[in-house]
Amino acid sequence: MIVRPHSRWRDAALWGRLFFGSLLLMLVVALPWQRSLAVASQGAPNTSAVNSTWGTKYLSPVALKLSPDGRRLYVVCEGDDSVLAVDTKTRQVLARLRVGHRPKGIAISPDGKSLYVSDEESDAVTEIDAETLKARRTLAVGWGPVGLATDHSGTTLFVANTLGNNVSLIDLQSGREIKRLEAGHYPEYVALSRDGSRIYVANLLARIAPNDQPPVSELTVIDPDRQMVAARIDVPGVLQMRHIAELPASAGGYLLIPFMRPKNLNPLVQIHQGWYLTHGLAVIRPLISRESGSQSYQVAEVLLDDIDRYYADGFGAAATPDGRWALVTASGADMVSVLDTAKLRHLLLRTPITQREALANRLDSASQFATQRLRTGRNPTDAVVSPDGRLAYIANRMDDTISVLDMTRMEMASTISLGGPKDISTVRRGERLFFNASYSNQGQMGCATCHPHEGLSDGLVWSLETPQLGRDVVENRTLFGIDGTSPFKWNGKNPNLETQDGPRTAMYIFRSQGFNSGEVNDLVTYILSLRLPRNPHLARDGHLTDTQARGQAIFFRDRTNAGALIPPQDRCYYCHAPLTHYTSRVLMDVGTATPYDTIHAFDVPQLEGVVMKPPYLHNGEALEMEDIWTKFNPDDKHGITSDMNKVQLNDLIEYLKTL
Amino acid sequence: MFLERTGKSSSCWAVLRMAAFLILATASLAAQGSSLYTKWINYTPANGFPKGEVYCVTVDGDRVWAGTRDGLVLLENGSVKKVFTTKDGLAGHAVMSVAVDKQTGDVWIATFGGLSRYSGGQFKNYTNLTSGLANDLVYGVAVQGKYVWVATTAGVNRLDTYTGTWSIFNESNAPFEEPWTYDISVTADRIYFAVWGSGVLSYDPEHNSWKPYSDPDGEMELVLYRNQGLIHNVVSSVSYNPGTKTFWASTYFGLSSYDGRNWHNYLTKDSGIVSNFVNAVRSRGNEVWACTQKGLSELNTSTNTWTTYQPDAKTGRGKILVTHPDGRTERIGSSTTLAHNYILNIAFQGDDLWVATAQGLSHGILQPHKEQ
């Protein structure tokens, strides 16, 4: 066995435990090449060489912002790392700017002179001159920034960091981060209240919670003056909260936030015709006490689905300036719902508080306030309404267009093409299928419904195939970086993704014909193209901290603290083999089965990106990584770990976070 | 209010000396603004406060947090606003320390069931089983920038709130003789720890280096040489005063201070401290407050005058004992007093004091002192 105890490089060191010297030599040669690729892909935003590369990538518009006068529409395109300025009168693209990697969100300063675009994979925000569309500077923020907004004065920028589960506060004068406030789980969207007194942060994922409890999501409320968290509002039973629209006080002052509402605790095979998840809207009403001035919040939930047709994957939300109308895009249904907010308010007010909870499950409500369902382009994401309330713009991610909605006539007026390749590649076809819910019964869901943010695990435990309540529940798994990790599913029954995404998905999930073989091929090609986001726990040069290096030694150890030899099958790297994405790709019984599991051996999960996908173990019982060893390995069947002290366990976890 | 004078004079010289002392005493009181804590408002079960010991108290602007045997109490504008218990999500019943992150507004709570964070009206808990916390018996917590420092019976923890990384410091990687840590005091560039049996430890985060301060005569409960070093290794609390660049360490065998050059020790036999059994010490400006088992003693370092506040068990009134540098004492009475003479902790709210006692929380309000 080859041991390199002094190596402090994560990737280099893991090779050090390989079994054959010749293989080691090969890997040593391969490693620098791998690193050079990684470094090359992490360049700074480039504004100079833009024109030479335009047109080679799909644009995938995901975020919109209008100038205060409504004459310019700014479009963030995550696919080709760009921001576009569109003249809303001529409906032509005026300018393009290359920004950082995978831009996701946009904010505009109160005076309309500056744009701020979050570069998710660069952990940065690009500040842009809104007039010239030239980049001014790059602001360092937290991990995986997406949503952002300035405060009322435009002096502080609030940036939601998805991977950090926090919000960066940036002083826009100095460009420096002042502090980070902890948000909920995977914060994505940020909005400043109309009166400027609150910053709202919608968290995409529910709090990690026991696997027999329904999810609870959080709307984080920040006081921008005090720059502190003012409230954490529970939104029960839902997840995937997206964009936030606030109605003016004259229309009730409600916050409207699209969500997905799962019924993941029910055995799915027992549910007739699907209906194990629905799509709706959180309606949150801020209340201010006249006596104390303190603020509280009333939370109600309504569904946007109809009984016979679903509007999957709510995403964008916007309201007219007078609050008369609200728009919610259904990104999986290629539709936008037009909501009459007066009727919505009426429904809420005449529903007794004791029956409000029932509203969250009623499929006959939306017909009372959803006055129009209009077709958009493919995969509509963000939506904005012009300052005069006459037009709305909707970004269609999967066909690189903007739909223009005439709000006075409530019909689509035109479509703006943003450019991008005209040929549709296999991966792009697969990507379109991934976001498309029309293949499932009644359009209830697409792949993206349970794998939000382009492949993430939704963090839920699902009862997929066993009819008994509470039996064989399994934790959802990520789709990032799964190439080479077959078989799939916790029971390892699917030898490849074609099986997983073809007949099994059609039978158990979609309850429909599903995809045809060509579509399956496209979809699988796309899924296998999904790569893990950069791991912020690992230094960009791969160097390990002291703690991580100690944890690495524990991961690769072959002796206990007392010096006893650890049998090979009880070592971490035996099952979590580094050469195969830290999975041995076989079923293993590590003592984690419960009386409610039919089988005892489960697929060994890959560990790459493990820090980003709690909960852990096949049934999601381990809410934190520590739980795996402190609660669920009493007999040392999940590796010999009982001799470790707390410092060693912390070290091991810090190393695992780097994978 | 009444005033008694002690000290005997048997000669003219003594009378003259007494006169001089009186002048000095008057001057010292004048230096203190001639004010004393003669007005006390107590929070006990009688006015909605939990029963029993109050282990800690922390001031956050207009809010006061008090850690008790049975939960965390939030007071606003002098009233008990809420008593948080494990039913509300608190990690443990007994609350030993509270720290408010001035940057984020988050409240960190040390309990005997783990560490809690209270933010936006919700609790989030960290325990030995579910996080990197070294032990669930948490005695102290402090915030320094993005780091939360936690004192436990199994050493010191540091949580990086940006990355979620937990670090443990104990006898395996730092100069701990014992890992049982009671208290933390943070400064801009140092963190001081009060360690049971290991004296005071300071940590320099920039250089990742530790410095121990221990009793030069080891475990002996005697002081062989005055001001030689830390008075005892069983240290119950530590408080760094940035104004005087001095840290103060309370022990069960006296009080110590170190200004970077010199040590000073304070015992009942040679100072005005009311007891050598000191549960906690807090220092600001020229004030040092020692929370002892027999009352609350204050040292004014400018005048070297000690003032001790105690309840009189017989009368229920307050006893204030002023000890001047020459040993002369004055006794002053007050109609209200501390809830109990066993003092566990103290916090400052402007000129006001909040004092944790064995039987309730006391709010001390500075009052002009009318000399008679």
Side-chain angles (χ1 to χ4, degrees), chain B residues 99-292:
Chain B
V100 178
D101 186 334
K102 299 294 182 192
Q103 282 274 305
T104 67
D106 292 351
V107 181
W108 293 88
I109 305 133
T111 83
F112 274 3
L115 178 70
S116 292
R117 186 206 66 183
Y118 184 71
S119 172
Q122 302 224 4
F123 285 97
K124 180 177 180 180
N125 294 331
Y126 304 84
T127 69
N128 179 255
L129 293 183
T130 61
S131 74
L133 188 67
N135 195 286
D136 287 348
L137 292 178
V138 184
Y139 279 92
V141 61
V143 178
Q144 186 204 40
K146 66 175 182 174
Y147 295 112
V148 177
W149 289 89
V150 190
T152 81
T153 53
V156 168
N157 267 130
R158 183 184 65 191
L159 169 63
D160 182 332
T161 59
Y162 284 13
T163 66
T165 299
W166 289 86
S167 305
I168 295 177
F169 302 98
N170 58 21
E171 67 277 16
S172 70
N173 55 5
F176 284 80
E177 296 292 329
E178 297 277 351
W180 195 305
T181 310
Y182 271 153
D183 193 26
I184 307 167
S185 180
V186 296
T187 73
D189 58 358
R190 292 282 191 285
I191 301 100
Y192 294 89
F193 302 97
V195 188
W196 194 98
S198 197
V200 172
L201 296 179
S202 81
Y203 177 68
D204 174 354
E206 185 182 350
H207 301 100
N208 190 28
S209 61
W210 290 82
K211 187 171 184 181
Y213 302 90
S214 54
D215 184 355
D217 55 31
E219 292 293 326
M220 290 179 64
E221 295 171 9
L222 300 170
V223 177
L224 298 180
Y225 302 101
R226 182 180 165 85
N227 296 333
Q228 187 185 26
L230 183 67
I231 208 158
H232 200 276
N233 284 338
V234 175
V235 181
S236 56
S237 85
V238 62
S239 174
Y240 184 82
N241 185 329
T244 59
K245 295 188 170 74
T246 300
F247 77 70
W248 291 81
S250 62
T251 81
Y252 296 149
F253 305 93
L255 181 68
S256 292
S257 72
Y258 183 63
D259 62 8
R261 266 182 92 89
N262 299 306
W263 286 92
H264 286 277
N265 295 331
Y266 302 86
L267 299 164
T268 51
K269 68 181 182 183
D270 52 15
S271 79
I273 194 167
V274 69
S275 168
N276 291 336
F277 193 96
V278 189
N279 289 308
V281 61
R282 296 290 178 257
S283 177
R284 67 167 181 178
N286 60 358
E287 301 169 21
V288 182
W289 294 84
C291 305
T292 84

Side-chain angles (χ1 to χ4, degrees), chain A residues 34-54:
Chain A
Q34 188 184 36
R35 287 240 177 69
S36 65
L37 279 183
V39 170
S41 69
Q42 292 165 358
N46 177 4
T47 58
S48 59
V50 165
N51 290 330
S52 62
T53 55
W54 292 130

